[in-house]
Amino acid sequence: MKAKNRMTATAGLSLALFMGMSTGASAAQSPIDLNVYQVPMHFTVDGKEYAPPEGQQGFIYEGSTYVPIRFISYSLDKAVKWDADTYTVTIAEPNDTDKINIKEYKLNAQVYSKSNDKFDKSKLVSSKLNVYKEKISYVFDGASKSPSEDLPGYIVDGNLYVPMRFFSESVGKTINWDPVTYTVSAVTTPVKKDPEVKGPETPKTEPQVPAAGGGGAVGGGGSAGGGSGTVGDGDVAKPSYDSIKSEAETQLRELEAKSKAELTELYNQYKSTKDASLIDEAFSKVAEADAAFDQIMSDLNSKLSDNGYDTSIIDTYKDQYEQIKTDAQADIISK
């Protein structure tokens, strides 16, 4: 079977790209205009600064700071899921796949050139922001929590924005506001521990060393290097090039099944509901699949390199991955 046939794992991903191009999506209610302050705020988590994606700037409304749900979740090292049927955000500890996605997201979001410049408040001017105001339910590590009635969620251009203080404190962070630099800081709240109670110390004894040449227990009665030993009796068999490649392609087929199932379901929901929140969820699935693909390629590169094999097949896989996404998107648009 050719590599391209094995790379169909990404065909379903273009569903999300197609959804993102569609128009007319709406949330459960009619949009409203809010007078908000969109200022160049700084967001730091335990000393590291992060910035939301371009076009998803946070805003201040009635004294509360709102930020994109995925930005704040990933910045706090939390996995996030959105249930469009019940308008519920579920926050939990990340699994292995989530950790890969979060790590990549934070690498792209981290700000390395920090600025402590004083913010010029004369430039603080309110502006109108068209939003969908929604009552959001939250589940943090299995426990339901609700913000006050004056802290709803807002959907802006298909992205859900949530109150940063409520969200951060719900996952154990302390929020600080610096009005000079307009910096919002989330700091891990230290956990108080009971003082350690030490028991009586046990006297230490020196290990017994068997006499040279004696019939001690070390080695089980045989002399070092004896014929009955097993350590060093043979090297681990070197995996073949085909076995390494086959393992990677099995992972790609699993990615195919998972991606198609998740994105086809989202696409069908979107066609029937035109729910804008599904667009953000679909792009999240694309990012997850991209991260999973990159991890498979990274593992494949390591195994091939460590065993002295040629790694050029990886470039072939990557080119086909992008081409299949493009072809599948064009196929959907033409329907």
Side-chain angles (χ1 to χ4, degrees):
M1 183 182 294
K2 294 182 179 180
K4 184 171 182 178
N5 293 332
R6 293 164 176 154
M7 288 300 301
T8 55
T10 60
L13 300 182
S14 60
L15 293 169
L17 301 178
F18 175 67
M19 290 165 64
M21 296 170 59
S22 302
T23 60
S26 63
Q29 302 180 24
S30 298
I32 60 175
D33 286 331
L34 297 182
N35 288 319
V36 306
Y37 292 97
Q38 291 182 301
V39 297
M41 291 182 288
H42 302 278
F43 303 96
T44 68
V45 178
D46 291 332
K48 293 183 178 180
E49 182 175 346
Y50 300 98
E54 185 176 354
Q56 296 184 26
Q57 182 181 3
F59 60 87
I60 300 174
Y61 178 64
E62 294 186 343
S64 295
T65 301
Y66 288 82
V67 290
I69 180 67
R70 196 163 305 281
F71 167 70
I72 185 61
S73 299
Y74 282 9
S75 296
L76 297 174
D77 290 317
K78 291 288 187 178
V80 57
K81 291 185 179 180
W82 167 249
D83 187 331
D85 295 328
T86 62
Y87 278 65
T88 299
V89 171
T90 300
I91 306 300
E93 290 300 314
N95 57 31
D96 289 342
T97 300
D98 293 327
K99 290 178 181 178
I100 294 172
N101 298 333
I102 291 172
K103 181 179 180 180
E104 181 179 7
Y105 185 98
K106 291 177 71 174
L107 284 174
N108 293 325
Q110 187 168 352
V111 177
Y112 295 95
S113 56
K114 296 183 180 180
S115 173
N116 294 317
D117 294 342
K118 182 177 180 180
F119 178 73
D120 185 358
K121 294 185 179 179
S122 65
K123 298 179 180 180
L124 190 61
V125 180
S126 66
S127 59
K128 288 189 179 297
L129 185 65
N130 192 252
V131 306
Y132 293 96
K133 179 181 178 180
E134 303 294 344
K135 180 177 176 58
I136 307 297
S137 299
Y138 298 86
V139 178
F140 292 92
D141 295 318
S144 298
K145 294 186 179 181
S146 298
S148 59
E149 292 293 331
D150 61 343
L151 291 175
Y154 292 106
I155 296 176
V156 183
D157 295 331
N159 297 299
L160 175 62
Y161 287 69
V162 298
M164 183 172 178
R165 179 179 294 276
F166 162 77
F167 192 97
S168 300
E169 291 180 347
S170 295
V171 297
K173 300 289 184 179
T174 298
I175 292 295
N176 298 311
W177 167 251
D178 184 347
V180 176
T181 61
Y182 269 57
T183 299
V184 183
S185 302
V187 183
T188 301
T189 304
V191 178
K192 294 183 179 180
K193 297 182 178 180
D194 294 332
E196 183 180 356
V197 178
K198 296 184 178 181
E201 293 187 3
T202 302
K204 295 182 179 180
T205 57
E206 294 295 328
Q208 298 296 316
V209 180
V218 177
S223 61
S228 61
T230 57
V231 178
D233 281 352
D235 296 328
V236 177
K238 176 180 177 180
S240 67
Y241 174 84
D242 287 339
S243 68
I244 295 174
K245 191 172 69 167
S246 177
E247 180 183 0
E249 290 170 351
T250 297
Q251 294 173 331
L252 291 174
R253 285 191 291 269
E254 293 173 351
L255 176 61
E256 171 186 9
K258 181 175 181 292
S259 299
K260 281 188 174 181
E262 291 178 344
L263 286 164
T264 300
E265 180 181 0
L266 285 174
Y267 183 54
N268 290 335
Q269 289 179 19
Y270 180 77
K271 285 196 300 183
S272 61
T273 65
K274 295 295 188 255
D275 185 347
S277 65
L278 294 174
I279 296 175
D280 185 54
E281 188 173 355
F283 274 105
S284 172
K285 295 299 182 184
V286 173
E288 289 179 8
D290 284 345
F293 173 81
D294 289 342
Q295 185 61 46
I296 293 172
M297 292 299 100
S298 176
D299 292 343
L300 176 60
N301 182 71
S302 297
K303 292 177 182 178
L304 291 175
S305 299
D306 290 347
N307 289 282
Y309 294 127
D310 179 59
T311 61
S312 60
I313 187 64
I314 294 175
D315 290 332
T316 301
Y317 283 150
K318 289 181 177 179
D319 291 342
Q320 291 171 346
Y321 180 86
E322 295 302 327
Q323 186 60 50
I324 290 175
K325 286 204 300 186
T326 301
D327 292 345
Q329 178 185 354
D331 180 63
I332 291 175
I333 294 175
S334 66
K335 292 181 179 179

